[in-house]
Amino acid sequence: MVGKWHLGFYRKECMPTKRGFDTFFGSLLGSGDYYTHYKCDSPGMCGYDLYENDNAAWDYDNGIYSTQMYTQRVQQILASHNPTKPIFLYIAYQAVHSPLQAPGRYFEHYRSIININRRRYAAMLSCLDEAISNVTLALKTYGFYNNSIIIYSSDNGGQPTAGGSNWPLRGSKGTYWEGGIRAVGFVHSPLLKNKGTVCKELVHITDWYPTLISLAEGQIDEDIQIDGYDIWETISEGLRSPRVDILHNIDPIYTKAKNGSWAAGYGIWNTAIQSAIRVQHWKLLTGNPGYSDWVPPQSFSNLGPNRWHNERITLSNGKSVWLFNITADPYERVDLSNRYPGIVKKLLRRLSQFNKTAVPVRYPPKDPRSNPRLNGGVWGPWYKEEIKKNKPSKSQAKKKQKKSKLKKKKQQKAGSGSTCHSGVPCG
């Protein structure tokens, strides 16, 4: 693995090398400086965040822009690996994510973009495009390409306040609107049967696992319940996806919809809970789905997205349930929840079924022991299991004393009646 981990590291068991990867070079946190690889979580909580396997990679503290640094590492891995042997290479580039930083030469083509955040974002993306090109070239140079599959995927929608754009989709990163959850992606491979096509079937990130296992001719234990489906034939041959639904999320902690209630959810679901689900063409949202504007690219002034050009929707109109036909209305402009109460109920029941399988939420407070100051100036595992030894009570202590006295007497009696001859083991 090369790049951003961002899946937890409070214990060593949570690190990439303990979660299936043979090697790891990258960062543990969600963001940080692209050149120094330092991150401040809050005042006084700052540290270095670049790792080589399980140790801080201090040797790489030399100001290389992370997109280029990660590409160099990928090139080294491919150069030293035998192309006749399988390899799974997960590259999680830091770009494009705040802070918005890019090497100067990538800004040359974007001087006409007035908004500084949008300009920086474009420069970062150009550098990322170049990186993908260089990785593809390395696959060809070192003999991997003809038997390779490249999957390019993003983790969420763009953030308009930080240079991103989801237009014409609704909402932004961190919301359950399509602008927050629908991501850019493609599959490139000589092994594809139908090339140059667009797949409009339902595909979720959990589908990559069984798809890749199947392509690598591996086996998944039938007893293991997994969320994903093998979608290779859907992508390669244009067949229908085996997937019929996607649980976008259920957040039982985020219940800020003032008008949400069990009554609004027909007694099936508490619509104060922030959740979203897709079943075939239909998408249902409950609670407060988050920032819900449509932000067109032309609204970007030098001050950021101009609210005068946004189409604003207020959520204070008593609503806590929305229903959309995403196939017909991908921009989520026509709420059909009042027109099709039967479909609303059906999707609420599906939400409830999913929720019954949920693991209880564990959201502990910040642990001061995680401060890099206490860990050599590095972000990394800090938690150690505390083994508490219970002190014996007075009655237990007395019993122990009696037992040890009896034991000593027995040993003395046994010892007085036995003799050890030279050369004969005794005891």
Side-chain angles (χ1 to χ4, degrees):
M1 176 186 166
V2 176
K4 170 177 161 180
W5 177 238
H6 202 204
L7 285 170
F9 57 87
Y10 87 107
R11 289 189 302 157
K12 287 180 180 176
E13 289 77 12
C14 300
M15 295 285 280
T17 53
K18 302 292 189 294
R19 303 285 291 161
F21 290 98
D22 296 317
T23 64
F24 168 59
F25 178 70
S27 63
L28 299 176
L29 295 169
S31 63
D33 191 284
Y34 281 73
Y35 293 96
T36 66
H37 318 300
Y38 271 80
K39 165 74 175 183
C40 287
D41 187 56
S42 58
M45 280 279 278
C46 301
Y48 187 62
D49 182 27
L50 187 63
Y51 269 74
E52 176 94 61
N53 296 322
D54 299 327
N55 299 303
W58 290 111
D59 292 347
Y60 292 87
D61 183 16
N62 47 18
I64 300 177
Y65 186 67
S66 75
T67 302
Q68 296 166 330
M69 179 179 67
Y70 291 151
T71 302
Q72 288 169 14
R73 174 52 64 97
V74 170
Q75 290 166 328
Q76 289 165 15
I77 290 169
L78 293 173
S80 61
H81 191 85
N82 183 347
T84 63
K85 292 187 177 178
I87 183 170
F88 174 73
L89 187 53
Y90 172 49
I91 314 164
Y93 282 106
Q94 187 179 350
V96 288
H97 193 288
S98 60
L100 302 178
Q101 298 171 293
R105 68 185 177 91
Y106 295 98
F107 285 85
E108 291 170 11
H109 299 295
Y110 305 109
R111 287 174 184 163
S112 61
I113 298 177
I114 298 166
N115 178 261
I116 187 65
N117 282 348
R118 189 71 176 152
R119 197 187 316 152
R120 285 174 181 154
Y121 192 95
M124 293 169 79
L125 200 54
S126 276
C127 186
L128 181 65
D129 282 346
E130 189 180 274
I132 302 301
S133 173
N134 288 336
V135 168
T136 309
L137 189 62
L139 287 169
K140 290 177 178 178
T141 302
Y142 300 115
F144 293 90
Y145 179 78
N146 291 332
N147 194 32
S148 69
I149 295 161
I150 301 169
I151 297 168
Y152 180 95
S153 178
S154 183
D155 53 354
N156 46 251
Q159 181 58 276
T161 57
S165 176
N166 304 308
W167 177 262
L169 299 177
R170 185 177 186 177
S172 63
K173 174 183 175 177
T175 74
Y176 297 172
W177 304 108
E178 291 296 286
I181 60 171
R182 189 183 283 229
V184 176
F186 66 77
V187 176
H188 175 80
S189 173
L191 307 177
L192 285 168
K193 289 187 178 176
N194 296 346
K195 296 179 177 68
T197 60
V198 177
C199 175
K200 293 189 176 182
E201 293 291 307
L202 273 189
V203 174
H204 186 248
I205 196 165
T206 55
D207 298 329
W208 293 128
Y209 175 67
T211 303
L212 292 170
I213 293 288
S214 174
L215 283 166
E217 298 179 1
Q219 295 291 325
I220 296 173
D221 193 331
E222 289 180 4
D223 297 332
I224 296 173
Q225 293 287 317
I226 62 170
D227 297 314
Y229 297 88
D230 179 356
I231 51 159
W232 181 247
E233 289 181 342
T234 303
I235 293 167
S236 180
E237 300 174 39
L239 300 186
R240 295 300 304 269
S241 172
R243 176 175 287 285
V244 294
D245 58 19
I246 295 173
L247 175 64
H248 292 309
N249 203 22
I250 297 172
D251 191 338
I253 292 176
Y254 197 89
T255 55
K256 294 185 178 180
K258 294 175 184 176
N259 303 297
S261 65
W262 283 96
Y266 300 97
I268 301 166
W269 183 257
N270 180 1
T271 62
I273 295 170
Q274 188 187 48
S275 68
I277 188 170
R278 172 83 181 264
V279 179
Q280 293 171 329
H281 302 298
W282 299 102
K283 178 182 174 185
L284 182 87
L285 302 97
T286 74
N288 179 355
Y291 178 83
S292 61
D293 293 1
W294 293 270
V295 186
Q298 63 267 28
S299 74
F300 284 87
S301 71
N302 207 26
L303 301 170
N306 188 331
R307 291 204 173 274
W308 293 109
H309 292 97
N310 289 5
E311 295 182 66
R312 304 214 67 192
I313 297 287
T314 56
L315 295 176
S316 58
N317 56 359
K319 284 197 68 64
S320 61
V321 178
W322 293 261
L323 178 72
F324 300 97
N325 182 326
I326 295 297
T327 307
D329 177 27
Y331 313 140
E332 297 170 298
R333 291 184 174 275
V334 184
D335 174 25
L336 301 169
S337 58
N338 291 331
R339 197 185 302 179
Y340 298 108
I343 292 170
V344 170
K345 289 175 188 175
K346 180 185 172 184
L347 269 61
L348 288 172
R349 286 191 195 98
R350 192 78 186 99
L351 262 179
S352 181
Q353 287 170 353
F354 270 121
N355 200 43
K356 284 172 186 170
T357 68
V359 175
V361 174
R362 181 170 174 265
Y363 200 74
K366 282 192 175 182
D367 189 334
R369 292 175 296 178
S370 65
N371 194 326
R373 270 193 205 166
L374 307 174
N375 298 290
V378 182
W379 290 100
W382 74 89
Y383 186 82
K384 292 179 179 67
E385 296 286 351
E386 291 177 1
I387 301 166
K388 292 182 179 178
K389 291 183 178 179
N390 295 324
K391 288 184 179 179
S393 62
K394 286 183 180 179
S395 58
Q396 284 176 324
K398 283 180 181 177
K399 282 179 184 176
K400 272 191 174 180
Q401 280 179 343
K402 282 182 181 178
K403 277 185 181 178
S404 62
K405 282 180 182 177
L406 285 167
K407 205 173 184 181
K408 277 182 183 177
K409 282 182 181 178
K410 283 180 181 177
Q411 282 173 346
Q412 283 169 358
K413 282 180 182 177
S416 60
S418 64
T419 54
C420 286
H421 304 286
S422 59
V424 179
C426 182

